[in-house]
Amino acid sequence: MTVKTLPDKCPLCGGAKKEGKTTFTVDLGFGVVVVRDVPATVCSQCGADWIQDDTSSKLEKIVDDARKRHHLVEVTTLSA
């Protein structure tokens, strides 16, 4: 059986997808990077989230910078 999902519906649970914020976390092996207030599309039912490509690029730069500094824990907020 094939289930057709609409772009505004969550493909995991069928809940409504809405603009919101999420927290992005990466385990670097030697430490952890946590980025708060990341703009994302979030399912109102199951909480699954999707991050846009331009936001992902910003997150990659933050993680690369943290990797270079070799911090054990880095917590930051994504600036617009």
Side-chain angles (χ1 to χ4, degrees):
M1 182 173 152
T2 303
V3 177
K4 185 176 180 182
T5 58
L6 299 173
D8 60 341
K9 296 290 182 187
C10 175
L12 303 175
C13 72
K17 291 177 9 182
K18 299 182 180 188
E19 292 303 313
K21 303 245 182 200
T22 191
T23 300
F24 179 80
T25 306
V26 177
D27 183 349
L28 298 174
F30 58 84
V32 178
V33 178
V34 179
V35 184
R36 303 167 110 187
D37 295 331
V38 177
T41 303
V42 182
C43 175
S44 61
Q45 186 168 317
C46 72
D49 51 19
W50 294 267
I51 298 170
Q52 297 295 321
D53 290 343
D54 59 331
T55 303
S56 293
S57 295
K58 291 178 184 178
L59 292 171
E60 284 181 30
K61 289 177 185 175
I62 291 170
V63 171
D64 286 344
D65 186 47
R67 184 177 284 120
K68 288 176 188 171
R69 292 185 301 192
H70 215 269
H71 285 173
L72 186 59
V73 176
E74 174 143 348
V75 180
T76 188
T77 302
L78 188 68
S79 57

